Structure formats: C-alpha cells, structure tokens
Coordinates of all heavy atoms in Angstrom, one line a residue:
M18 N -4.4 0.9 11.8 CA -4.9 2.0 11.1 C -5.9 1.5 10.1 O -5.7 0.6 9.4 CB -3.8 2.9 10.5 CG -4.4 3.9 9.6 SD -3.3 4.9 8.5 CE -1.7 4.4 8.7
I19 N -7.1 2.2 10.0 CA -8.1 1.9 8.9 C -8.2 3.2 8.1 O -8.5 4.3 8.5 CB -9.4 1.5 9.6 CG1 -9.2 0.3 10.4 CG2 -10.5 1.3 8.5 CD1 -10.5 -0.2 11.1
I20 N -8.1 2.9 6.7 CA -8.3 4.0 5.7 C -9.7 3.7 5.1 O -9.9 2.6 4.7 CB -7.2 4.0 4.7 CG1 -5.9 4.3 5.3 CG2 -7.5 5.0 3.6 CD1 -4.7 4.1 4.3
E21 N -10.5 4.7 5.1 CA -11.8 4.5 4.4 C -11.7 4.9 3.0 O -11.1 6.0 2.7 CB -12.9 5.3 5.1 CG -13.2 4.8 6.5 CD -14.4 5.5 7.2 OE1 -14.8 6.6 6.7 OE2 -14.9 4.9 8.1
H22 N -12.2 4.1 2.1 CA -12.0 4.3 0.6 C -13.3 4.0 -0.1 O -14.0 2.9 0.2 CB -10.9 3.4 0.1 CG -10.8 3.5 -1.4 ND1 -10.2 4.6 -2.0 CD2 -11.1 2.6 -2.3 CE1 -10.2 4.3 -3.3 NE2 -10.8 3.1 -3.5
F23 N -13.7 4.8 -1.1 CA -14.9 4.5 -1.8 C -14.5 3.7 -3.1 O -13.6 4.1 -3.8 CB -15.7 5.8 -2.2 CG -16.4 6.4 -1.1 CD1 -16.1 7.7 -0.7 CD2 -17.4 5.7 -0.4 CE1 -16.8 8.3 0.3 CE2 -18.1 6.3 0.6 CZ -17.8 7.6 1.0
Q24 N -15.2 2.6 -3.3 CA -15.0 1.8 -4.5 C -15.2 2.6 -5.7 O -16.1 3.4 -5.9 CB -16.1 0.7 -4.5 CG -16.0 -0.3 -5.6 CD -17.2 -1.3 -5.6 OE1 -18.4 -0.8 -5.6 NE2 -16.9 -2.5 -5.7
G25 N -14.2 2.5 -6.6 CA -14.2 3.3 -7.9 C -13.4 4.6 -7.8 O -13.0 5.1 -8.9
D26 N -13.1 5.1 -6.6 CA -12.2 6.2 -6.5 C -10.8 5.8 -6.7 O -10.4 4.7 -6.4 CB -12.4 6.9 -5.1 CG -13.7 7.6 -5.0 OD1 -14.5 7.7 -5.9 OD2 -13.9 8.2 -3.9
T27 N -9.9 6.7 -7.1 CA -8.5 6.4 -7.1 C -8.0 6.3 -5.7 O -8.3 7.1 -4.8 CB -7.8 7.6 -7.8 OG1 -8.3 7.7 -9.2 CG2 -6.3 7.3 -7.9
F28 N -7.2 5.2 -5.5 CA -6.6 5.0 -4.1 C -5.2 5.5 -4.2 O -4.4 5.2 -5.1 CB -6.6 3.5 -3.8 CG -6.0 3.3 -2.4 CD1 -6.7 3.4 -1.3 CD2 -4.6 2.9 -2.3 CE1 -6.2 3.2 0.0 CE2 -4.1 2.7 -1.1 CZ -4.8 2.8 0.1
I29 N -4.8 6.4 -3.2 CA -3.5 6.9 -3.2 C -3.0 6.9 -1.7 O -3.7 7.3 -0.8 CB -3.4 8.4 -3.6 CG1 -3.9 8.5 -5.1 CG2 -2.0 9.0 -3.5 CD1 -4.0 9.9 -5.6
A30 N -1.8 6.3 -1.5 CA -1.2 6.3 -0.2 C 0.2 6.8 -0.3 O 0.9 6.5 -1.3 CB -1.2 4.9 0.4
E31 N 0.6 7.7 0.5 CA 2.0 8.3 0.5 C 2.8 8.0 1.7 O 2.2 7.8 2.8 CB 1.9 9.8 0.3 CG 1.1 10.3 -0.9 CD 0.9 11.8 -1.0 OE1 0.7 12.4 0.1 OE2 0.9 12.3 -2.1
G32 N 4.1 7.9 1.6 CA 4.9 7.5 2.7 C 6.4 7.8 2.5 O 6.8 8.3 1.5
Q33 N 7.1 7.6 3.6 CA 8.5 7.7 3.6 C 9.1 6.5 4.4 O 8.4 6.0 5.3 CB 9.0 8.9 4.3 CG 8.7 10.2 3.6 CD 9.2 11.4 4.4 OE1 9.2 11.5 5.6 NE2 9.8 12.4 3.7
L34 N 10.3 6.1 4.1 CA 11.0 5.1 4.9 C 12.0 5.8 5.8 O 12.7 6.6 5.3 CB 11.7 4.1 4.0 CG 12.7 3.1 4.7 CD1 11.9 2.2 5.6 CD2 13.4 2.3 3.6
L35 N 11.9 5.6 7.1 CA 12.7 6.3 8.0 C 13.8 5.4 8.5 O 13.6 4.2 8.8 CB 11.9 6.8 9.2 CG 10.7 7.8 8.9 CD1 10.0 8.2 10.1 CD2 11.2 9.0 8.1
N36 N 15.0 5.9 8.7 CA 16.1 5.1 9.3 C 16.0 5.0 10.8 O 15.0 5.6 11.4 CB 17.5 5.6 8.8 CG 17.8 7.0 9.3 OD1 17.2 7.5 10.3 ND2 18.8 7.7 8.7
D37 N 16.9 4.4 11.5 CA 16.9 4.2 12.9 C 16.9 5.6 13.7 O 16.5 5.6 14.8 CB 18.0 3.4 13.4 CG 17.9 1.9 12.9 OD1 16.7 1.5 12.6 OD2 18.9 1.2 12.8
L38 N 17.3 6.6 13.0 CA 17.4 7.9 13.7 C 16.1 8.8 13.4 O 16.0 9.9 13.8 CB 18.6 8.7 13.2 CG 20.0 8.0 13.5 CD1 21.1 8.8 12.9 CD2 20.2 7.9 15.0
G39 N 15.2 8.2 12.6 CA 14.0 8.9 12.2 C 14.1 9.8 11.1 O 13.3 10.6 10.8
T40 N 15.2 9.7 10.3 CA 15.5 10.6 9.2 C 15.0 9.8 7.9 O 15.3 8.6 7.8 CB 17.0 10.9 9.0 OG1 17.5 11.4 10.3 CG2 17.3 11.8 7.9
P41 N 14.3 10.5 7.0 CA 13.9 9.9 5.7 C 15.1 9.3 4.9 O 16.1 10.0 4.8 CB 13.2 11.0 5.0 CG 12.8 12.0 6.0 CD 13.9 11.9 7.1
V42 N 14.9 8.1 4.4 CA 16.0 7.5 3.6 C 15.8 8.0 2.2 O 14.6 8.0 1.7 CB 15.8 5.9 3.6 CG1 16.7 5.2 2.6 CG2 16.0 5.4 5.1
D43 N 16.9 8.3 1.5 CA 16.8 8.6 0.1 C 16.7 7.3 -0.7 O 17.6 6.6 -1.0 CB 18.1 9.4 -0.4 CG 18.0 9.9 -1.8 OD1 17.3 9.3 -2.6 OD2 18.6 10.9 -2.1
L44 N 15.4 7.0 -1.1 CA 15.1 5.7 -1.7 C 15.8 5.6 -3.0 O 16.3 4.5 -3.4 CB 13.6 5.6 -1.9 CG 12.8 5.7 -0.6 CD1 11.3 5.8 -0.9 CD2 13.0 4.4 0.3
T45 N 15.9 6.7 -3.8 CA 16.5 6.6 -5.1 C 18.0 6.3 -5.0 O 18.6 5.5 -5.6 CB 16.3 7.9 -5.8 OG1 14.9 8.2 -5.9 CG2 16.8 7.9 -7.3
A46 N 18.7 7.1 -4.1 CA 20.2 7.0 -4.0 C 20.5 5.6 -3.4 O 21.6 5.0 -3.7 CB 20.7 8.1 -3.1
E47 N 19.7 5.1 -2.5 CA 19.9 3.8 -1.8 C 19.5 2.6 -2.6 O 19.7 1.4 -2.3 CB 19.2 3.8 -0.5 CG 19.8 4.8 0.5 CD 21.2 4.4 1.0 OE1 21.5 3.3 1.1 OE2 21.9 5.4 1.3
G48 N 18.8 2.8 -3.8 CA 18.3 1.7 -4.6 C 17.2 0.9 -4.0 O 17.2 -0.3 -4.2
V49 N 16.4 1.5 -3.2 CA 15.3 0.8 -2.6 C 14.1 0.7 -3.5 O 13.7 1.7 -4.1 CB 14.9 1.5 -1.3 CG1 13.7 0.8 -0.6 CG2 16.1 1.6 -0.3
T50 N 13.5 -0.5 -3.6 CA 12.2 -0.6 -4.4 C 11.1 -0.7 -3.3 O 11.3 -1.2 -2.2 CB 12.2 -1.8 -5.3 OG1 12.4 -3.0 -4.5 CG2 13.3 -1.7 -6.3
V51 N 9.9 -0.2 -3.7 CA 8.8 -0.2 -2.9 C 7.7 -1.0 -3.6 O 7.4 -0.8 -4.8 CB 8.3 1.2 -2.6 CG1 7.1 1.3 -1.7 CG2 9.4 2.0 -2.0
R52 N 7.0 -1.9 -2.9 CA 6.0 -2.8 -3.5 C 4.9 -2.9 -2.5 O 5.1 -2.9 -1.3 CB 6.6 -4.1 -3.8 CG 5.7 -5.1 -4.5 CD 6.6 -6.3 -4.9 NE 5.8 -7.5 -4.9 CZ 4.9 -7.8 -5.8 NH1 4.6 -6.9 -6.7 NH2 4.2 -8.9 -5.8
S53 N 3.6 -3.0 -3.0 CA 2.5 -3.2 -2.1 C 1.3 -3.8 -2.8 O 1.1 -3.6 -4.0 CB 2.0 -1.8 -1.6 OG 1.1 -1.9 -0.7
E54 N 0.6 -4.7 -2.1 CA -0.5 -5.4 -2.6 C -1.7 -5.2 -1.7 O -1.5 -5.1 -0.5 CB -0.3 -6.9 -2.8 CG 0.8 -7.2 -3.9 CD 1.1 -8.7 -3.9 OE1 0.8 -9.4 -3.0 OE2 1.6 -9.1 -5.0
V55 N -2.9 -5.2 -2.2 CA -4.1 -5.1 -1.4 C -4.8 -6.5 -1.5 O -4.9 -7.0 -2.6 CB -5.1 -4.0 -2.0 CG1 -6.4 -4.0 -1.3 CG2 -4.4 -2.6 -2.0
R56 N -5.2 -7.0 -0.4 CA -5.8 -8.3 -0.3 C -7.1 -8.3 0.6 O -7.2 -7.4 1.4 CB -4.9 -9.4 0.2 CG -3.7 -9.6 -0.7 CD -2.7 -10.7 -0.2 NE -1.6 -10.9 -1.0 CZ -1.6 -11.8 -2.0 NH1 -2.6 -12.5 -2.2 NH2 -0.5 -11.9 -2.8
L57 N -7.9 -9.3 0.5 CA -9.0 -9.4 1.4 C -8.5 -9.7 2.8 O -7.6 -10.5 2.9 CB -10.0 -10.5 0.9 CG -10.9 -10.2 -0.3 CD1 -11.5 -11.5 -0.8 CD2 -11.9 -9.2 0.1
D58 N -9.1 -9.1 3.8 CA -8.8 -9.4 5.2 C -9.1 -10.9 5.4 O -10.1 -11.4 5.0 CB -9.6 -8.6 6.1 CG -9.1 -8.5 7.5 OD1 -8.0 -9.0 7.8 OD2 -9.8 -8.0 8.4
G59 N -8.1 -11.6 6.0 CA -8.3 -13.0 6.3 C -7.9 -13.9 5.1 O -8.2 -15.1 5.0
F60 N -7.1 -13.3 4.1 CA -6.7 -14.1 2.9 C -5.9 -15.3 3.3 O -5.3 -15.4 4.3 CB -6.0 -13.1 2.0 CG -4.6 -12.8 2.4 CD1 -3.5 -13.5 2.0 CD2 -4.4 -11.7 3.2 CE1 -2.2 -13.2 2.4 CE2 -3.1 -11.4 3.7 CZ -2.0 -12.1 3.2
R61 N -5.8 -16.2 2.3 CA -4.9 -17.4 2.4 C -3.8 -17.1 1.4 O -4.0 -16.4 0.4 CB -5.7 -18.6 2.0 CG -6.8 -19.0 3.0 CD -7.6 -20.3 2.6 NE -7.9 -20.3 1.2 CZ -9.1 -20.0 0.7 NH1 -10.0 -19.5 1.5 NH2 -9.3 -20.0 -0.6
P62 N -2.6 -17.7 1.6 CA -1.5 -17.4 0.7 C -1.8 -17.7 -0.8 O -1.2 -17.0 -1.6 CB -0.4 -18.3 1.2 CG -0.7 -18.5 2.7 CD -2.2 -18.5 2.7
A63 N -2.7 -18.6 -1.1 CA -3.0 -18.9 -2.5 C -3.9 -17.9 -3.1 O -4.1 -17.9 -4.3 CB -3.6 -20.3 -2.6
D64 N -4.6 -17.0 -2.3 CA -5.5 -16.1 -2.8 C -4.8 -15.0 -3.6 O -3.8 -14.5 -3.2 CB -6.3 -15.4 -1.7 CG -7.2 -16.4 -0.9 OD1 -7.5 -17.5 -1.5 OD2 -7.6 -16.0 0.2
A65 N -5.4 -14.6 -4.8 CA -4.8 -13.6 -5.6 C -5.1 -12.2 -4.9 O -6.1 -12.0 -4.2 CB -5.4 -13.6 -7.0
P66 N -4.1 -11.3 -5.1 CA -4.4 -9.9 -4.6 C -5.6 -9.2 -5.3 O -5.8 -9.5 -6.4 CB -3.1 -9.2 -4.8 CG -2.4 -9.9 -5.9 CD -2.9 -11.4 -5.8
V67 N -6.2 -8.4 -4.5 CA -7.3 -7.5 -5.1 C -6.6 -6.6 -6.1 O -7.1 -6.3 -7.2 CB -8.0 -6.8 -4.0 CG1 -9.0 -5.7 -4.6 CG2 -8.8 -7.8 -3.1
A68 N -5.4 -6.1 -5.7 CA -4.7 -5.1 -6.6 C -3.2 -5.1 -6.2 O -2.9 -5.3 -5.0 CB -5.3 -3.7 -6.4
T69 N -2.4 -4.8 -7.2 CA -1.0 -4.5 -6.9 C -0.9 -3.0 -7.2 O -1.2 -2.6 -8.3 CB -0.1 -5.3 -7.8 OG1 -0.2 -6.7 -7.6 CG2 1.4 -5.0 -7.6
L70 N -0.5 -2.3 -6.1 CA -0.4 -0.9 -6.3 C 0.8 -0.4 -7.1 O 1.9 -1.1 -7.0 CB -0.4 -0.2 -4.9 CG -1.6 -0.6 -4.0 CD1 -1.4 0.1 -2.6 CD2 -2.9 -0.1 -4.6
T71 N 0.7 0.6 -7.8 CA 1.8 1.2 -8.6 C 2.6 2.1 -7.7 O 2.0 2.9 -7.0 CB 1.3 2.0 -9.8 OG1 0.5 1.1 -10.6 CG2 2.4 2.6 -10.6
S72 N 3.9 1.9 -7.7 CA 4.7 2.8 -6.8 C 5.5 3.8 -7.6 O 6.0 3.5 -8.7 CB 5.7 2.0 -6.0 OG 6.6 1.3 -6.7
A73 N 5.6 5.0 -7.1 CA 6.4 6.1 -7.7 C 7.2 6.7 -6.6 O 6.8 7.0 -5.5 CB 5.5 7.2 -8.3
I74 N 8.5 6.8 -6.9 CA 9.5 7.2 -5.9 C 10.1 8.5 -6.3 O 10.6 8.7 -7.5 CB 10.6 6.2 -5.7 CG1 10.0 4.9 -5.1 CG2 11.7 6.7 -4.7 CD1 11.0 3.7 -5.0
V75 N 10.1 9.5 -5.4 CA 10.8 10.8 -5.7 C 11.7 11.0 -4.4 O 11.2 11.4 -3.4 CB 9.8 12.0 -5.9 CG1 10.6 13.3 -6.1 CG2 8.9 11.7 -7.0
T76 N 12.9 10.7 -4.6 CA 14.0 10.8 -3.5 C 13.5 10.1 -2.2 O 13.5 8.9 -2.1 CB 14.5 12.2 -3.2 OG1 13.4 13.1 -2.9 CG2 15.2 12.8 -4.5
T77 N 13.0 10.9 -1.2 CA 12.7 10.3 0.1 C 11.2 9.9 0.2 O 10.7 9.3 1.2 CB 13.0 11.2 1.2 OG1 12.3 12.4 1.1 CG2 14.5 11.5 1.3
D78 N 10.4 10.3 -0.8 CA 8.9 10.1 -0.7 C 8.5 9.1 -1.7 O 9.0 9.0 -2.8 CB 8.2 11.4 -1.0 CG 8.5 12.5 0.0 OD1 8.6 12.2 1.2 OD2 8.8 13.6 -0.5
Y79 N 7.4 8.3 -1.4 CA 6.9 7.4 -2.4 C 5.3 7.5 -2.3 O 4.7 7.9 -1.3 CB 7.3 5.9 -2.1 CG 6.8 5.3 -0.8 CD1 5.6 4.8 -0.7 CD2 7.7 5.3 0.2 CE1 5.2 4.2 0.5 CE2 7.3 4.7 1.5 CZ 6.1 4.2 1.6 OH 5.7 3.6 2.8
T80 N 4.7 7.2 -3.5 CA 3.3 7.2 -3.6 C 2.9 5.9 -4.2 O 3.5 5.3 -5.1 CB 2.8 8.3 -4.6 OG1 3.3 9.6 -4.1 CG2 1.3 8.4 -4.7
L81 N 1.9 5.3 -3.5 CA 1.3 4.0 -4.0 C -0.1 4.3 -4.5 O -0.9 5.0 -3.9 CB 1.2 3.0 -2.9 CG 2.5 2.7 -2.2 CD1 2.3 1.9 -0.9 CD2 3.4 1.9 -3.1
T82 N -0.4 3.8 -5.8 CA -1.6 4.2 -6.4 C -2.3 3.1 -7.1 O -1.7 2.2 -7.6 CB -1.3 5.3 -7.5 OG1 -0.6 6.3 -6.9 CG2 -2.6 5.9 -8.1
A83 N -3.6 3.1 -7.0 CA -4.5 2.2 -7.9 C -5.5 3.2 -8.5 O -6.4 3.8 -7.8 CB -5.2 1.2 -7.0
T84 N -5.5 3.4 -9.8 CA -6.4 4.3 -10.5 C -7.7 3.7 -10.7 O -8.7 4.5 -10.7 CB -5.8 4.8 -11.8 OG1 -5.5 3.6 -12.6 CG2 -4.5 5.6 -11.6
D85 N -7.8 2.4 -10.9 CA -9.2 1.8 -11.1 C -9.5 0.8 -10.0 O -8.9 -0.2 -9.9 CB -9.1 1.0 -12.4 CG -10.5 0.4 -12.8 OD1 -11.5 0.7 -12.1 OD2 -10.5 -0.4 -13.7
T86 N -10.4 1.3 -9.1 CA -10.8 0.4 -8.0 C -12.2 0.0 -8.1 O -12.8 -0.5 -7.1 CB -10.6 1.2 -6.6 OG1 -11.5 2.3 -6.5 CG2 -9.1 1.6 -6.4
T87 N -12.8 0.0 -9.3 CA -14.2 -0.4 -9.5 C -14.4 -1.8 -9.2 O -15.5 -2.2 -8.8 CB -14.6 -0.1 -10.9 OG1 -13.7 -0.7 -11.9 CG2 -14.7 1.4 -11.2
G88 N -13.4 -2.6 -9.3 CA -13.5 -4.1 -9.1 C -13.2 -4.5 -7.6 O -13.3 -5.6 -7.3
W89 N -12.8 -3.5 -6.8 CA -12.5 -3.8 -5.4 C -13.8 -4.2 -4.7 O -14.8 -3.5 -4.8 CB -11.8 -2.6 -4.7 CG -10.4 -2.3 -5.1 CD1 -9.8 -2.7 -6.3 CD2 -9.5 -1.6 -4.4 NE1 -8.5 -2.3 -6.3 CE2 -8.3 -1.6 -5.1 CE3 -9.5 -0.9 -3.1 CZ2 -7.1 -0.9 -4.7 CZ3 -8.4 -0.3 -2.7 CH2 -7.2 -0.3 -3.4
P90 N -13.8 -5.2 -3.9 CA -15.0 -5.6 -3.2 C -15.3 -4.6 -2.1 O -14.3 -4.1 -1.5 CB -14.6 -7.0 -2.6 CG -13.1 -7.0 -2.5 CD -12.6 -6.1 -3.6
T91 N -16.5 -4.4 -1.8 CA -16.9 -3.6 -0.6 C -16.8 -4.5 0.6 O -17.7 -5.3 0.9 CB -18.3 -3.0 -0.8 OG1 -19.2 -4.1 -1.1 CG2 -18.4 -2.0 -1.9
S92 N -15.6 -4.4 1.2 CA -15.2 -5.3 2.3 C -14.0 -4.7 3.0 O -13.5 -3.6 2.6 CB -14.8 -6.6 1.6 OG -14.4 -7.6 2.6
M93 N -13.6 -5.3 4.1 CA -12.4 -4.9 4.7 C -11.2 -5.6 4.0 O -11.2 -6.8 3.7 CB -12.4 -5.3 6.2 CG -11.2 -4.7 7.0 SD -11.3 -2.9 7.1 CE -12.6 -2.7 8.3
L94 N -10.2 -4.7 3.6 CA -9.0 -5.2 2.9 C -7.8 -4.9 3.7 O -7.9 -4.1 4.7 CB -8.9 -4.4 1.6 CG -10.2 -4.4 0.7 CD1 -10.0 -3.5 -0.5 CD2 -10.5 -5.8 0.2
V95 N -6.7 -5.6 3.4 CA -5.5 -5.4 4.2 C -4.4 -5.1 3.2 O -4.4 -5.5 2.0 CB -5.1 -6.6 5.0 CG1 -6.0 -6.8 6.2 CG2 -4.9 -7.9 4.2
C96 N -3.4 -4.4 3.7 CA -2.3 -4.0 2.8 C -1.1 -3.7 3.7 O -1.2 -3.5 4.9 CB -2.7 -2.7 2.1 SG -1.5 -2.1 0.8
N97 N 0.1 -3.8 3.2 CA 1.3 -3.3 3.8 C 2.3 -2.8 2.7 O 2.0 -2.9 1.6 CB 1.9 -4.3 4.8 CG 2.7 -5.4 4.1 OD1 2.4 -5.7 2.9 ND2 3.5 -6.1 4.8
V98 N 3.4 -2.4 3.1 CA 4.4 -1.9 2.2 C 5.7 -2.7 2.4 O 6.1 -2.9 3.5 CB 4.7 -0.4 2.4 CG1 5.8 0.1 1.4 CG2 3.5 0.5 2.3
R99 N 6.2 -3.2 1.3 CA 7.5 -4.0 1.3 C 8.6 -3.2 0.6 O 8.4 -2.7 -0.5 CB 7.2 -5.3 0.6 CG 8.5 -6.2 0.5 CD 8.2 -7.6 0.0 NE 7.6 -8.3 1.1 CZ 7.2 -9.5 1.1 NH1 7.2 -10.1 -0.1 NH2 6.7 -10.1 2.1
Y100 N 9.7 -3.2 1.3 CA 10.9 -2.5 0.8 C 12.0 -3.5 0.5 O 12.1 -4.5 1.3 CB 11.5 -1.5 1.8 CG 10.5 -0.5 2.4 CD1 9.9 -0.7 3.6 CD2 10.2 0.6 1.7 CE1 9.0 0.2 4.1 CE2 9.3 1.5 2.2 CZ 8.7 1.3 3.4 OH 7.8 2.2 3.9
V101 N 12.7 -3.4 -0.6 CA 13.8 -4.3 -1.0 C 15.0 -3.4 -1.3 O 15.0 -2.5 -2.1 CB 13.4 -5.2 -2.2 CG1 14.6 -6.1 -2.5 CG2 12.1 -6.0 -1.9
K102 N 16.1 -3.8 -0.6 CA 17.4 -3.1 -0.8 C 18.5 -4.1 -0.7 O 18.6 -4.9 0.2 CB 17.6 -2.0 0.2 CG 18.9 -1.3 0.0 CD 19.2 -0.3 1.1 CE 20.4 0.5 0.7 NZ 21.6 0.2 1.5
D103 N 19.3 -4.2 -1.8 CA 20.4 -5.1 -1.8 C 20.0 -6.6 -1.5 O 20.7 -7.3 -0.8 CB 21.5 -4.7 -0.9 CG 22.1 -3.4 -1.2 OD1 22.1 -3.0 -2.4 OD2 22.6 -2.7 -0.2
G104 N 18.8 -7.0 -2.1 CA 18.4 -8.3 -1.9 C 17.7 -8.6 -0.5 O 17.3 -9.7 -0.3
K105 N 17.7 -7.6 0.4 CA 17.1 -7.8 1.7 C 15.7 -7.2 1.6 O 15.5 -6.1 1.1 CB 17.9 -7.1 2.8 CG 19.3 -7.8 2.9 CD 20.1 -7.1 3.9 CE 21.5 -7.8 3.9 NZ 22.6 -6.9 4.3
T106 N 14.8 -7.9 2.2 CA 13.4 -7.5 2.2 C 12.9 -7.2 3.6 O 13.2 -7.9 4.6 CB 12.5 -8.6 1.6 OG1 13.0 -8.8 0.3 CG2 11.0 -8.2 1.6
F107 N 12.2 -6.1 3.8 CA 11.5 -5.8 5.1 C 10.2 -5.1 4.8 O 10.1 -4.4 3.8 CB 12.4 -5.0 6.0 CG 13.1 -3.8 5.5 CD1 12.6 -2.6 5.7 CD2 14.2 -4.0 4.6 CE1 13.3 -1.5 5.2 CE2 14.8 -2.9 4.1 CZ 14.3 -1.6 4.4
S108 N 9.3 -5.3 5.7 CA 7.9 -4.8 5.5 C 7.4 -4.0 6.7 O 7.8 -4.2 7.8 CB 7.0 -6.0 5.2 OG 7.4 -6.7 4.1
T109 N 6.4 -3.1 6.4 CA 5.7 -2.4 7.4 C 4.6 -3.3 8.0 O 4.3 -4.4 7.5 CB 4.9 -1.2 6.8 OG1 3.9 -1.7 5.9 CG2 5.9 -0.3 6.1
H110 N 4.0 -2.9 9.1 CA 2.9 -3.5 9.7 C 1.7 -3.4 8.7 O 1.7 -2.4 7.9 CB 2.5 -2.9 11.0 CG 3.5 -3.2 12.1 ND1 3.6 -4.4 12.7 CD2 4.4 -2.4 12.7 CE1 4.6 -4.4 13.6 NE2 5.0 -3.1 13.6
E111 N 0.8 -4.2 8.8 CA -0.4 -4.1 7.8 C -1.3 -2.9 8.3 O -1.3 -2.6 9.5 CB -1.2 -5.4 7.7 CG -2.1 -5.7 8.9 CD -3.0 -6.9 8.7 OE1 -2.6 -7.8 7.9 OE2 -4.0 -7.0 9.3
F112 N -2.0 -2.4 7.3 CA -3.0 -1.4 7.6 C -4.3 -1.9 6.8 O -4.2 -2.7 5.9 CB -2.6 0.0 7.2 CG -2.2 0.2 5.8 CD1 -3.2 0.5 4.8 CD2 -0.9 0.1 5.4 CE1 -2.8 0.7 3.5 CE2 -0.5 0.3 4.0 CZ -1.5 0.6 3.1
K113 N -5.4 -1.5 7.3 CA -6.7 -1.9 6.7 C -7.3 -0.8 5.8 O -7.1 0.3 6.1 CB -7.6 -2.4 7.8 CG -7.1 -3.6 8.6 CD -8.1 -4.1 9.6 CE -7.5 -5.2 10.4 NZ -7.6 -6.5 9.7
I114 N -8.0 -1.3 4.8 CA -8.7 -0.4 3.9 C -10.2 -0.8 4.0 O -10.5 -2.0 3.6 CB -8.2 -0.5 2.5 CG1 -6.7 -0.1 2.4 CG2 -9.0 0.5 1.6 CD1 -6.0 -0.5 1.1
K115 N -11.0 0.0 4.4 CA -12.5 -0.2 4.5 C -13.0 0.3 3.1 O -13.2 1.5 3.0 CB -13.1 0.4 5.7 CG -14.6 0.1 5.7 CD -15.2 0.8 7.0 CE -16.7 0.6 7.1 NZ -17.3 1.3 8.2
C116 N -13.3 -0.6 2.2 CA -13.8 -0.2 0.9 C -15.3 -0.3 0.9 O -15.9 -1.3 1.3 CB -13.2 -1.2 -0.2 SG -13.6 -0.7 -1.9
M117 N -15.9 0.9 0.6 CA -17.3 1.1 0.7 C -17.9 1.6 -0.7 O -17.2 2.1 -1.5 CB -17.6 2.2 1.8 CG -17.0 1.9 3.1 SD -17.2 3.3 4.2 CE -16.1 4.5 3.4
M118 N -19.2 1.3 -0.8 CA -19.8 1.9 -2.0 C -20.1 3.3 -1.8 O -20.6 3.7 -0.7 CB -21.1 1.1 -2.3 CG -21.8 1.6 -3.6 SD -23.3 0.6 -4.0 CE -22.5 -1.0 -4.4
S119 N -19.8 4.1 -2.8 CA -20.0 5.6 -2.7 C -21.5 5.9 -2.8 O -22.2 5.4 -3.7 CB -19.3 6.3 -3.8 OG -19.6 7.7 -3.7
P120 N -22.0 6.8 -2.0 CA -23.4 7.2 -2.1 C -23.7 8.0 -3.4 O -24.8 8.0 -3.9 CB -23.7 8.1 -0.9 CG -22.4 8.3 -0.2 CD -21.4 7.4 -0.8
T121 N -22.6 8.6 -4.0 CA -22.8 9.3 -5.2 C -22.3 8.4 -6.3 O -21.2 8.0 -6.4 CB -21.9 10.6 -5.2 OG1 -22.3 11.4 -4.1 CG2 -22.1 11.4 -6.5
Q122 N -23.2 8.1 -7.2 CA -22.9 7.3 -8.4 C -22.9 8.1 -9.6 O -22.7 8.1 -10.6 CB -23.9 6.1 -8.5 CG -23.9 5.2 -7.3 CD -22.7 4.4 -7.1 OE1 -22.2 3.8 -8.0 NE2 -22.1 4.5 -5.9

C-alpha cells in the first residue's frame, strides 16, 4: 500500500489490531502498546528514523500522528506498526508513504 502525503501536512494513520477471528482487540484492556517509525525506503539499520509517530489509543482504535512533517524528505518512505504485549513484539507488514511537495505553499 502507498499513502500519498504532502510535506508539511499533518500525517495521520488510523488502525485496529484484529485477533485471529477478525475481532478488534481492546488495546487498553490487553495492555498493548503501539509504536511506529517512518524511515527512508532502503534504509540501513544504523539510519535514524525520519520520524517517530505519536500513538493514541482509545480501546480498540489507535491513531498514529506526526504534526510537523516539514522536515520529511520528498521521497518514498517506509513505515510499519509494532505492537508489544506482555514483552512479546509483533509487527505489521510495511507500507510506503510517498512524500511530495505541495503545489500550494
């Protein structure tokens, strides 16, 4: 999946964690933390992230946000979502963010 995003706009991604039956998990009750970083496509492990997204959880829904994206490069970026519960970590597949310069300045 590729999300198109204009540099300088607020980046917002929303989601849910589904269990094996396809039912949303109550992240708050289960004590799940949600974490996400944006990096340049083709990054090396030593490369710093472009951004660490702020996560907000409301029961079964989460929102990942970056309010200031003015420093994001106009390039293809990659991201995924990492969940941690009881010391166990699992992640989504990556998705791409095509960061572009906005025609309206």
Side-chain angles (χ1 to χ4, degrees):
M18 170 187 1
I19 298 176
I20 298 170
E21 293 186 343
H22 174 75
F23 287 121
Q24 181 187 52
D26 288 358
T27 299
F28 180 82
I29 300 172
E31 299 173 329
Q33 291 181 321
L34 173 62
L35 304 178
N36 65 19
D37 294 337
L38 301 174
T40 305
V42 173
D43 186 331
L44 302 167
T45 306
E47 296 288 329
V49 178
T50 59
V51 179
R52 184 170 149 72
S53 188
E54 294 177 340
V55 176
R56 294 180 181 269
L57 284 169
D58 196 11
F60 73 93
R61 297 180 313 264
D64 294 343
V67 171
T69 299
L70 302 178
T71 302
S72 66
I74 296 172
V75 179
T76 58
T77 60
D78 302 313
Y79 63 85
T80 303
L81 302 167
T82 308
T84 54
D85 182 8
T86 66
T87 55
W89 287 22
T91 52
S92 179
M93 190 64 76
L94 308 172
V95 294
C96 188
N97 74 340
V98 181
R99 175 170 283 177
Y100 307 100
V101 179
K102 180 182 186 255
D103 298 329
K105 296 179 184 149
T106 302
F107 49 103
S108 300
T109 66
H110 292 287
E111 78 174 23
F112 57 91
K113 295 184 183 276
I114 302 167
K115 181 179 179 182
C116 187
M117 306 169 291
M118 184 174 290
S119 175
T121 303
Q122 300 292 311

